[in-house]
Amino acid sequence: LLKAACTDVWWSSECDYPVVAVWQPENASVEEASTDGPIIANVLTAANALTPLTLADVFAQQVTPQSWDTAEDKAQRAQLCQLKELLENNLTNLKVYRYGEVEVAVYMLGQTAEGTLAGVQTTVIET
């Protein structure tokens, strides 16, 4: 469901990057499925400092219609709104993490009903 929701979805900043589904490896224990546990450490091995954000913060610019939006822009905004709702409705303990400078990796992660870690990842450019 999450993977399908990410099909052809792009995150726009100074460049467009795909939004991809990420999830906890099956061999990881349920105890590790927390946003401050070993799984996050494994997923974000390059991160020295994580900055937690809210989903609303991250999606605000992406889902706000602009007067110059093309039909393609409107379609992307609609897909991103659906993705945001999917994350909110299907994941608990949902948190957003970003790391890096200029080319920033953004992870939106939470727990599934089964207790595994899942979410999406993208990249934003900030200059």
Side-chain angles (χ1 to χ4, degrees):
L1 187 61
L2 190 55
K3 190 174 181 180
C6 292
T7 302
D8 297 324
V9 176
W10 295 86
W11 199 271
S12 293
S13 57
E14 291 186 29
C15 289
D16 291 341
Y17 283 91
V19 176
V20 295
V22 294
W23 56 89
Q24 173 184 343
E26 288 185 26
N27 62 353
S29 69
V30 174
E31 292 78 28
E32 294 174 317
S34 70
T35 54
D36 58 356
I39 293 301
I40 294 300
N42 291 338
V43 171
L44 305 175
T45 54
N48 291 326
L50 299 176
T51 306
L53 301 169
T54 69
L55 204 62
D57 291 339
V58 173
F59 273 92
Q61 184 176 7
Q62 298 297 315
V63 299
T64 303
Q66 302 295 328
S67 61
W68 57 83
D69 280 350
T70 64
E72 185 178 329
D73 294 333
K74 290 176 184 177
Q76 276 295 307
R77 289 191 198 287
Q79 284 183 285
L80 286 163
C81 284
Q82 290 174 345
L83 178 60
K84 180 179 181 275
E85 286 180 23
L86 180 71
L87 292 170
E88 290 173 330
N89 294 333
N90 292 285
L91 298 176
T92 59
N93 301 319
L94 186 62
K95 295 184 182 175
V96 179
Y97 294 98
R98 46 178 271 129
Y99 72 89
E101 295 179 23
V102 182
E103 190 169 334
V104 179
V106 177
Y107 287 85
M108 301 164 224
L109 304 166
Q111 287 180 296
T112 65
E114 296 78 27
T116 59
L117 187 67
V120 296
Q121 184 273 327
T122 193
T123 302
V124 297
I125 301 294
E126 297 178 348
T127 55

